[in-house]
Amino acid sequence: MRAPLQQIETSGELPQSADAVVIGGGIVGVFAAYYLARRGMKVAVVEKGRMGAEQSSRNWGWCRQQNRDARELPMATRSLDLWERFAAEAGENTGFRRCGLLYLSNDEAELAGWAHWRDFARTAGVITHMLDSSEASERGGATGRSWKGGVFSPNDGTADPSQAAPAVARAILKLGGSVHQNCAARGIETEGGRLSGVVTESGTIRTKMAVMAGGAWASSFCHQFGFRFPQASVRSSILSVSPGAEGLPDALHTAKISVTRRGDGGYTLAISGRGRVDVTPQQLRFSSQFVPMFLKRWRSLAPGGLQGALSGHETLKRWRLDRPTPMERVRILDPVPDQATIRLTHARALDLLPDLGKTRISAAWAGYIDSTPDGVPAIGEIHSVPGLFLAAGFSGHGFGIGPGAGHLVADLVTGAEPIVDPASYDPRRFDAPSWGKVADF
Protein backbone atom coordinates (compact mmCIF):
# COMPACT_ATOMS: atom_id res chain seq x y z
CA MET A 1 0.00 0.00 0.00
CA ARG A 2 1.10 3.54 -0.72
CA ALA A 3 -0.13 5.38 2.38
CA PRO A 4 2.20 5.30 5.43
CA LEU A 5 0.94 3.02 8.22
CA GLN A 6 2.40 1.48 11.38
CA GLN A 7 2.38 -2.31 11.49
CA ILE A 8 1.32 -4.06 14.65
CA GLU A 9 1.23 -7.63 15.92
CA THR A 10 -2.30 -8.78 16.73
CA SER A 11 -4.07 -11.82 18.15
CA GLY A 12 -3.76 -15.32 16.81
CA GLU A 13 -6.51 -17.89 17.30
CA LEU A 14 -10.08 -16.67 16.87
CA PRO A 15 -12.26 -16.87 20.01
CA GLN A 16 -15.25 -19.19 19.86
CA SER A 17 -17.47 -16.56 21.45
CA ALA A 18 -17.45 -12.89 22.43
CA ASP A 19 -19.73 -10.39 24.11
CA ALA A 20 -19.38 -8.22 21.00
CA VAL A 21 -17.66 -8.49 17.62
CA VAL A 22 -16.53 -5.41 15.72
CA ILE A 23 -16.23 -5.87 11.96
CA GLY A 24 -13.63 -3.48 10.58
CA GLY A 25 -10.35 -2.19 12.00
CA GLY A 26 -10.63 1.44 10.94
CA ILE A 27 -10.69 4.32 13.41
CA VAL A 28 -14.41 4.04 14.18
CA GLY A 29 -14.27 0.27 14.62
CA VAL A 30 -11.28 0.29 16.95
CA PHE A 31 -12.66 3.10 19.10
CA ALA A 32 -16.00 1.27 19.37
CA ALA A 33 -14.15 -1.86 20.49
CA TYR A 34 -11.97 0.15 22.88
CA TYR A 35 -14.93 1.69 24.68
CA LEU A 36 -16.74 -1.66 24.81
CA ALA A 37 -13.63 -3.29 26.30
CA ARG A 38 -13.32 -0.52 28.89
CA ARG A 39 -16.81 -1.49 30.07
CA GLY A 40 -15.63 -5.00 30.77
CA MET A 41 -16.98 -6.67 27.64
CA LYS A 42 -15.10 -9.46 25.90
CA VAL A 43 -14.54 -7.91 22.47
CA ALA A 44 -13.13 -9.29 19.22
CA VAL A 45 -12.18 -7.07 16.26
CA VAL A 46 -11.94 -8.75 12.86
CA GLU A 47 -10.23 -6.93 10.00
CA LYS A 48 -9.84 -8.37 6.50
CA GLY A 49 -6.49 -6.61 5.98
CA ARG A 50 -4.40 -4.43 8.30
CA MET A 51 -5.59 -2.18 11.10
CA GLY A 52 -6.37 1.27 9.72
CA ALA A 53 -5.13 0.43 6.23
CA GLU A 54 -7.94 2.00 4.24
CA GLN A 55 -9.38 5.49 4.69
CA SER A 56 -8.31 5.74 8.33
CA SER A 57 -4.67 6.10 7.22
CA ARG A 58 -5.40 7.99 3.98
CA ASN A 59 -6.97 11.20 5.30
CA TRP A 60 -5.52 14.57 6.34
CA GLY A 61 -5.64 13.84 10.06
CA TRP A 62 -7.80 16.86 10.94
CA CYS A 63 -9.80 16.69 14.19
CA ARG A 64 -12.05 19.70 13.91
CA GLN A 65 -15.16 21.42 15.11
CA GLN A 66 -14.77 24.28 12.63
CA ASN A 67 -17.31 24.14 9.79
CA ARG A 68 -18.98 20.96 11.03
CA ASP A 69 -22.59 20.37 10.07
CA ALA A 70 -24.93 21.04 13.01
CA ARG A 71 -25.72 17.32 13.24
CA GLU A 72 -22.04 16.41 13.66
CA LEU A 73 -20.81 19.32 15.79
CA PRO A 74 -21.71 17.81 19.21
CA MET A 75 -19.86 14.62 18.29
CA ALA A 76 -16.87 16.59 17.00
CA THR A 77 -16.66 18.53 20.26
CA ARG A 78 -16.81 15.40 22.40
CA SER A 79 -14.29 13.67 20.12
CA LEU A 80 -11.64 16.32 20.73
CA ASP A 81 -11.88 15.65 24.47
CA LEU A 82 -11.75 11.90 23.86
CA TRP A 83 -8.70 12.16 21.58
CA GLU A 84 -6.94 14.02 24.37
CA ARG A 85 -8.10 11.66 27.10
CA PHE A 86 -7.16 8.50 25.21
CA ALA A 87 -3.41 9.06 25.52
CA ALA A 88 -3.67 9.39 29.31
CA GLU A 89 -6.04 6.43 29.65
CA ALA A 90 -4.32 4.00 27.33
CA GLY A 91 -0.69 5.07 27.37
CA GLU A 92 -0.70 5.02 23.58
CA ASN A 93 0.20 7.83 21.17
CA THR A 94 -2.13 8.75 18.29
CA GLY A 95 -0.18 11.90 17.46
CA PHE A 96 -3.11 14.08 18.57
CA ARG A 97 -2.33 17.78 19.17
CA ARG A 98 -4.60 20.80 19.63
CA CYS A 99 -2.48 22.83 17.25
CA GLY A 100 -5.35 24.96 15.93
CA LEU A 101 -6.61 25.08 12.34
CA LEU A 102 -6.14 28.10 10.07
CA TYR A 103 -8.46 29.02 7.19
CA LEU A 104 -7.55 31.81 4.75
CA SER A 105 -9.64 33.33 1.96
CA ASN A 106 -9.94 36.22 -0.49
CA ASP A 107 -13.57 35.37 -1.28
CA GLU A 108 -16.18 37.55 0.40
CA ALA A 109 -18.92 34.90 0.10
CA GLU A 110 -16.70 32.25 1.69
CA LEU A 111 -15.80 34.59 4.54
CA ALA A 112 -19.47 35.41 5.07
CA GLY A 113 -20.25 31.70 5.27
CA TRP A 114 -17.55 31.20 7.90
CA ALA A 115 -18.87 34.16 9.89
CA HIS A 116 -22.37 32.69 9.76
CA TRP A 117 -21.02 29.37 11.05
CA ARG A 118 -19.14 31.25 13.82
CA ASP A 119 -22.42 32.76 14.99
CA PHE A 120 -24.03 29.33 15.06
CA ALA A 121 -21.01 27.79 16.81
CA ARG A 122 -21.27 30.31 19.65
CA THR A 123 -24.66 28.85 20.54
CA ALA A 124 -22.94 25.48 20.97
CA GLY A 125 -20.10 26.91 23.07
CA VAL A 126 -17.48 26.50 20.33
CA ILE A 127 -14.66 29.05 20.14
CA THR A 128 -13.65 30.20 16.67
CA HIS A 129 -11.98 33.48 15.73
CA MET A 130 -12.75 35.42 12.57
CA LEU A 131 -9.59 37.13 11.29
CA ASP A 132 -9.55 40.49 9.56
CA SER A 133 -7.20 41.16 6.66
CA SER A 134 -4.28 42.18 8.86
CA GLU A 135 -4.65 39.19 11.20
CA ALA A 136 -5.13 36.70 8.35
CA SER A 137 -2.11 38.02 6.46
CA GLU A 138 0.02 37.82 9.60
CA ARG A 139 -1.01 34.25 10.44
CA GLY A 140 -0.59 33.32 6.79
CA GLY A 141 2.83 34.95 6.56
CA ALA A 142 4.37 31.81 5.08
CA THR A 143 2.34 32.43 1.93
CA GLY A 144 3.86 35.88 1.38
CA ARG A 145 0.42 37.14 0.36
CA SER A 146 -2.26 39.47 1.62
CA TRP A 147 -5.60 37.93 2.57
CA LYS A 148 -9.03 39.48 2.97
CA GLY A 149 -9.74 37.39 6.05
CA GLY A 150 -9.83 33.99 7.63
CA VAL A 151 -10.65 31.85 10.62
CA PHE A 152 -8.54 30.38 13.38
CA SER A 153 -10.03 27.62 15.53
CA PRO A 154 -7.60 27.30 18.47
CA ASN A 155 -9.10 24.23 20.14
CA ASP A 156 -9.11 22.06 17.02
CA GLY A 157 -6.15 19.91 16.05
CA THR A 158 -4.72 16.96 14.20
CA ALA A 159 -3.82 13.33 14.86
CA ASP A 160 -1.51 11.06 12.88
CA PRO A 161 -3.41 8.80 10.45
CA SER A 162 -0.44 6.47 10.15
CA GLN A 163 -0.45 5.55 13.84
CA ALA A 164 -3.91 6.30 15.29
CA ALA A 165 -5.84 3.11 14.50
CA PRO A 166 -2.88 0.83 15.36
CA ALA A 167 -2.46 2.68 18.68
CA VAL A 168 -6.11 2.11 19.61
CA ALA A 169 -5.83 -1.54 18.56
CA ARG A 170 -2.91 -1.99 20.97
CA ALA A 171 -5.05 -0.44 23.71
CA ILE A 172 -7.79 -2.99 23.03
CA LEU A 173 -5.26 -5.79 23.49
CA LYS A 174 -4.15 -4.29 26.81
CA LEU A 175 -7.76 -4.42 27.99
CA GLY A 176 -8.04 -8.13 27.18
CA GLY A 177 -9.77 -7.85 23.83
CA SER A 178 -8.63 -9.71 20.72
CA VAL A 179 -7.74 -8.11 17.39
CA HIS A 180 -7.49 -10.20 14.23
CA GLN A 181 -5.84 -8.99 11.03
CA ASN A 182 -6.22 -10.75 7.67
CA CYS A 183 -9.52 -12.17 8.92
CA ALA A 184 -12.48 -11.13 6.79
CA ALA A 185 -16.02 -11.25 8.16
CA ARG A 186 -18.08 -12.98 5.49
CA GLY A 187 -21.52 -12.58 7.03
CA ILE A 188 -23.76 -13.13 10.02
CA GLU A 189 -25.91 -15.86 11.53
CA THR A 190 -29.23 -15.39 13.33
CA GLU A 191 -31.43 -17.38 15.68
CA GLY A 192 -35.05 -16.45 16.20
CA GLY A 193 -34.51 -13.31 14.13
CA ARG A 194 -31.68 -12.02 16.34
CA LEU A 195 -27.97 -11.96 15.70
CA SER A 196 -26.26 -15.11 16.96
CA GLY A 197 -22.86 -15.12 15.28
CA VAL A 198 -20.35 -13.50 12.92
CA VAL A 199 -18.97 -15.81 10.23
CA THR A 200 -15.33 -15.14 9.31
CA GLU A 201 -12.90 -16.85 6.96
CA SER A 202 -11.29 -18.41 10.06
CA GLY A 203 -14.49 -19.61 11.71
CA THR A 204 -17.63 -18.39 13.43
CA ILE A 205 -17.64 -16.26 16.58
CA ARG A 206 -20.79 -16.76 18.66
CA THR A 207 -22.09 -13.40 19.81
CA LYS A 208 -25.33 -11.54 20.47
CA MET A 209 -23.86 -8.13 19.59
CA ALA A 210 -21.87 -7.00 16.56
CA VAL A 211 -20.87 -3.72 14.93
CA MET A 212 -20.50 -3.32 11.17
CA ALA A 213 -17.81 -0.64 10.83
CA GLY A 214 -16.52 -1.73 7.44
CA GLY A 215 -16.17 1.67 5.78
CA ALA A 216 -16.55 1.49 2.02
CA TRP A 217 -17.47 -2.22 2.27
CA ALA A 218 -20.43 -1.72 4.61
CA SER A 219 -23.23 -1.50 2.04
CA SER A 220 -22.23 -4.61 0.09
CA PHE A 221 -21.91 -6.52 3.39
CA CYS A 222 -25.39 -5.40 4.47
CA HIS A 223 -26.74 -6.40 1.06
CA GLN A 224 -25.89 -10.02 1.88
CA PHE A 225 -28.68 -10.20 4.48
CA GLY A 226 -31.14 -7.92 2.70
CA PHE A 227 -30.53 -4.60 4.45
CA ARG A 228 -30.55 -1.61 2.10
CA PHE A 229 -27.86 0.91 3.06
CA PRO A 230 -27.35 3.64 0.42
CA GLN A 231 -23.65 4.32 0.15
CA ALA A 232 -21.32 5.50 -2.61
CA SER A 233 -17.58 6.12 -2.69
CA VAL A 234 -15.43 8.88 -4.17
CA ARG A 235 -11.75 8.29 -4.96
CA SER A 236 -9.63 11.02 -3.38
CA SER A 237 -5.92 11.48 -4.16
CA ILE A 238 -3.38 13.20 -1.89
CA LEU A 239 0.37 13.28 -1.34
CA SER A 240 2.99 13.90 1.31
CA VAL A 241 6.31 15.72 1.16
CA SER A 242 9.48 15.27 3.18
CA PRO A 243 10.58 17.47 6.10
CA GLY A 244 12.52 20.63 5.26
CA ALA A 245 10.00 23.46 5.01
CA GLU A 246 10.03 25.96 7.86
CA GLY A 247 7.57 28.47 9.29
CA LEU A 248 4.43 26.85 7.86
CA PRO A 249 1.17 26.60 9.84
CA ASP A 250 0.47 23.19 11.37
CA ALA A 251 -2.83 22.96 9.52
CA LEU A 252 -3.89 25.36 6.77
CA HIS A 253 -6.91 25.40 4.46
CA THR A 254 -7.48 27.58 1.40
CA ALA A 255 -9.84 27.08 -1.52
CA LYS A 256 -6.98 25.88 -3.73
CA ILE A 257 -4.92 23.76 -1.32
CA SER A 258 -4.86 22.35 2.21
CA VAL A 259 -1.65 21.56 4.07
CA THR A 260 -1.11 19.54 7.27
CA ARG A 261 2.09 18.98 9.23
CA ARG A 262 2.82 15.28 9.71
CA GLY A 263 4.40 13.68 12.74
CA ASP A 264 7.73 13.26 10.93
CA GLY A 265 7.93 16.99 10.11
CA GLY A 266 6.76 16.55 6.53
CA TYR A 267 3.41 17.71 5.19
CA THR A 268 0.28 16.20 3.67
CA LEU A 269 -1.05 18.16 0.69
CA ALA A 270 -4.60 17.91 -0.68
CA ILE A 271 -7.31 19.77 -2.57
CA SER A 272 -10.44 19.84 -0.43
CA GLY A 273 -13.43 17.98 -1.86
CA ARG A 274 -11.76 17.04 -5.13
CA GLY A 275 -12.34 13.46 -6.23
CA ARG A 276 -13.01 10.97 -9.01
CA VAL A 277 -16.26 9.03 -9.26
CA ASP A 278 -15.50 5.43 -10.24
CA VAL A 279 -18.77 3.97 -11.48
CA THR A 280 -19.84 0.78 -9.68
CA PRO A 281 -23.00 -1.36 -9.67
CA GLN A 282 -23.82 -0.11 -6.18
CA GLN A 283 -23.46 3.52 -7.24
CA LEU A 284 -25.91 2.97 -10.07
CA ARG A 285 -28.33 1.25 -7.70
CA PHE A 286 -28.42 4.21 -5.31
CA SER A 287 -27.92 6.98 -7.88
CA SER A 288 -31.38 8.52 -7.44
CA GLN A 289 -30.79 8.99 -3.70
CA PHE A 290 -27.50 10.79 -4.34
CA VAL A 291 -28.91 13.38 -6.74
CA PRO A 292 -29.20 16.10 -4.03
CA MET A 293 -25.60 15.44 -2.94
CA PHE A 294 -24.33 15.49 -6.53
CA LEU A 295 -26.10 18.76 -7.33
CA LYS A 296 -24.45 20.37 -4.31
CA ARG A 297 -20.93 18.99 -4.86
CA TRP A 298 -20.65 18.38 -8.61
CA ARG A 299 -18.06 21.12 -9.18
CA SER A 300 -15.51 19.18 -7.14
CA LEU A 301 -16.11 15.80 -8.81
CA ALA A 302 -14.91 14.32 -12.09
CA PRO A 303 -15.62 11.01 -13.84
CA GLY A 304 -13.33 8.16 -12.83
CA GLY A 305 -12.61 4.75 -14.33
CA LEU A 306 -13.15 1.08 -13.60
CA GLN A 307 -11.03 0.80 -10.44
CA GLY A 308 -14.07 0.85 -8.18
CA ALA A 309 -15.94 -1.81 -10.11
CA LEU A 310 -12.88 -4.07 -10.25
CA SER A 311 -12.13 -3.79 -6.53
CA GLY A 312 -15.48 -5.35 -5.61
CA HIS A 313 -16.27 -3.20 -2.58
CA GLU A 314 -19.48 -1.93 -4.19
CA THR A 315 -20.70 -5.15 -5.76
CA LEU A 316 -24.35 -6.18 -5.87
CA LYS A 317 -23.49 -9.87 -5.99
CA ARG A 318 -24.37 -12.24 -3.16
CA TRP A 319 -21.52 -14.38 -1.87
CA ARG A 320 -21.46 -17.69 -0.03
CA LEU A 321 -20.22 -17.85 3.52
CA ASP A 322 -18.15 -20.99 2.88
CA ARG A 323 -16.22 -19.52 -0.07
CA PRO A 324 -13.73 -16.63 -0.42
CA THR A 325 -15.44 -13.25 -0.77
CA PRO A 326 -14.40 -10.02 -2.55
CA MET A 327 -12.92 -8.87 0.78
CA GLU A 328 -10.42 -11.71 0.71
CA ARG A 329 -9.48 -11.03 -2.91
CA VAL A 330 -8.86 -7.34 -2.12
CA ARG A 331 -7.60 -7.21 1.46
CA ILE A 332 -6.86 -3.48 1.28
CA LEU A 333 -8.49 -0.95 -1.01
CA ASP A 334 -5.41 0.73 -2.47
CA PRO A 335 -6.59 2.55 -5.61
CA VAL A 336 -4.13 4.21 -7.96
CA PRO A 337 -4.03 7.97 -7.29
CA ASP A 338 -5.12 10.35 -10.02
CA GLN A 339 -1.82 11.67 -11.35
CA ALA A 340 -3.35 14.87 -12.74
CA THR A 341 -4.66 15.69 -9.27
CA ILE A 342 -1.29 14.87 -7.67
CA ARG A 343 0.54 17.19 -10.08
CA LEU A 344 -1.99 19.99 -9.60
CA THR A 345 -1.93 19.62 -5.81
CA HIS A 346 1.85 19.82 -5.68
CA ALA A 347 2.00 22.80 -8.05
CA ARG A 348 -0.61 24.71 -6.06
CA ALA A 349 1.19 23.97 -2.79
CA LEU A 350 4.53 25.21 -4.13
CA ASP A 351 2.85 28.34 -5.46
CA LEU A 352 1.13 29.09 -2.14
CA LEU A 353 3.98 28.12 0.20
CA PRO A 354 7.35 28.68 -1.51
CA ASP A 355 9.30 27.06 1.35
CA LEU A 356 7.85 23.70 0.27
CA GLY A 357 10.36 23.93 -2.58
CA LYS A 358 12.92 22.64 -0.06
CA THR A 359 11.02 19.34 0.17
CA ARG A 360 10.43 16.41 -2.15
CA ILE A 361 7.37 14.24 -2.74
CA SER A 362 7.71 11.26 -0.41
CA ALA A 363 4.46 9.41 -1.20
CA ALA A 364 1.19 9.71 -3.11
CA TRP A 365 -1.93 7.65 -2.57
CA ALA A 366 -5.68 7.47 -3.04
CA GLY A 367 -8.54 6.23 -0.91
CA TYR A 368 -12.27 5.64 -1.21
CA ILE A 369 -14.34 8.07 0.86
CA ASP A 370 -17.61 6.32 1.65
CA SER A 371 -20.55 8.72 1.62
CA THR A 372 -24.23 8.71 2.49
CA PRO A 373 -26.91 10.66 0.56
CA ASP A 374 -26.91 13.47 3.14
CA GLY A 375 -23.21 13.40 4.06
CA VAL A 376 -23.93 12.38 7.67
CA PRO A 377 -22.86 8.96 9.03
CA ALA A 378 -25.20 6.08 9.78
CA ILE A 379 -24.88 4.96 13.41
CA GLY A 380 -27.49 2.78 15.01
CA GLU A 381 -29.06 -0.65 15.30
CA ILE A 382 -30.19 -2.43 12.15
CA HIS A 383 -33.71 -3.11 13.34
CA SER A 384 -34.28 -5.99 10.93
CA VAL A 385 -31.43 -7.82 12.72
CA PRO A 386 -31.57 -7.00 16.45
CA GLY A 387 -28.11 -7.03 17.96
CA LEU A 388 -26.36 -5.81 14.79
CA PHE A 389 -25.27 -2.14 14.76
CA LEU A 390 -24.12 -0.07 11.79
CA ALA A 391 -21.38 2.58 11.97
CA ALA A 392 -20.46 3.61 8.44
CA GLY A 393 -20.89 6.27 5.75
CA PHE A 394 -18.73 8.87 7.48
CA SER A 395 -18.38 10.89 4.27
CA GLY A 396 -14.77 11.95 4.81
CA HIS A 397 -15.32 13.02 8.44
CA GLY A 398 -14.79 9.71 10.22
CA PHE A 399 -11.20 10.16 11.37
CA GLY A 400 -11.77 13.34 13.35
CA ILE A 401 -14.99 12.17 14.99
CA GLY A 402 -13.83 8.57 15.36
CA PRO A 403 -13.56 8.61 19.18
CA GLY A 404 -17.03 10.13 19.63
CA ALA A 405 -18.55 7.77 17.07
CA GLY A 406 -16.95 4.77 18.75
CA HIS A 407 -18.16 5.94 22.15
CA LEU A 408 -21.71 6.39 20.82
CA VAL A 409 -21.65 2.89 19.34
CA ALA A 410 -20.54 1.46 22.69
CA ASP A 411 -23.35 3.41 24.40
CA LEU A 412 -25.96 2.00 22.03
CA VAL A 413 -24.65 -1.56 22.30
CA THR A 414 -24.63 -1.50 26.10
CA GLY A 415 -27.78 0.57 26.57
CA ALA A 416 -25.90 3.39 28.32
CA GLU A 417 -26.82 7.07 28.17
CA PRO A 418 -25.63 8.19 24.69
CA ILE A 419 -22.69 10.58 24.61
CA VAL A 420 -24.65 12.62 22.02
CA ASP A 421 -28.20 12.44 20.72
CA PRO A 422 -28.19 9.53 18.22
CA ALA A 423 -31.36 10.57 16.38
CA SER A 424 -29.56 12.36 13.51
CA TYR A 425 -27.52 9.23 12.73
CA ASP A 426 -30.34 6.65 12.68
CA PRO A 427 -29.98 4.50 9.53
CA ARG A 428 -33.77 4.49 9.11
CA ARG A 429 -33.65 8.09 7.89
CA PHE A 430 -32.61 6.83 4.45
CA ASP A 431 -36.14 5.56 3.91
CA ALA A 432 -36.97 9.21 3.07
CA PRO A 433 -35.42 11.46 0.37
CA SER A 434 -32.43 13.68 1.23
CA TRP A 435 -33.62 16.85 -0.48
CA GLY A 436 -32.75 19.84 1.71
CA LYS A 437 -30.81 17.65 4.15
CA VAL A 438 -27.33 17.49 2.57
CA ALA A 439 -24.60 18.60 4.95
CA ASP A 440 -23.23 22.08 4.29
CA PHE A 441 -19.61 21.14 5.04
Side-chain angles (χ1 to χ4, degrees), residues 235-285:
R235 176 164 48 98
S236 175
S237 300
I238 64 178
L239 69 143
S240 63
V241 295
S242 63
E246 299 177 356
L248 276 60
D250 287 319
L252 169 65
H253 168 78
T254 70
K256 287 193 172 183
I257 193 73
S258 296
V259 181
T260 313
R261 186 188 299 273
R262 300 180 65 85
D264 63 0
Y267 288 85
T268 296
L269 314 177
I271 299 175
S272 180
R274 191 180 183 93
R276 293 277 180 179
V277 180
D278 293 338
V279 177
T280 66
Q282 182 174 292
Q283 242 179 25
L284 296 174
R285 179 192 184 197

Side-chain angles (χ1 to χ4, degrees), residues 156-178:
D156 291 354
T158 63
D160 189 339
S162 71
Q163 66 186 67
V168 183
R170 288 193 297 268
I172 296 167
L173 294 172
K174 290 180 182 179
L175 292 169
S178 64

Side-chain angles (χ1 to χ4, degrees), residues 61-77:
W62 283 32
C63 305
R64 62 178 172 88
Q65 299 168 101
Q66 178 67 36
N67 290 344
R68 285 284 187 198
D69 184 85
R71 290 161 288 187
E72 284 187 356
L73 182 58
M75 184 178 289
T77 299

Side-chain angles (χ1 to χ4, degrees), residues 354-398:
D355 217 57
L356 286 174
K358 300 175 182 177
T359 70
R360 57 176 177 78
I361 295 177
S362 52
W365 62 87
Y368 281 111
I369 298 174
D370 58 304
S371 300
T372 61
D374 59 8
V376 176
I379 305 173
E381 190 170 23
I382 296 175
H383 290 271
S384 58
V385 186
L388 180 60
F389 294 79
L390 180 63
F394 281 81
S395 305
H397 306 160

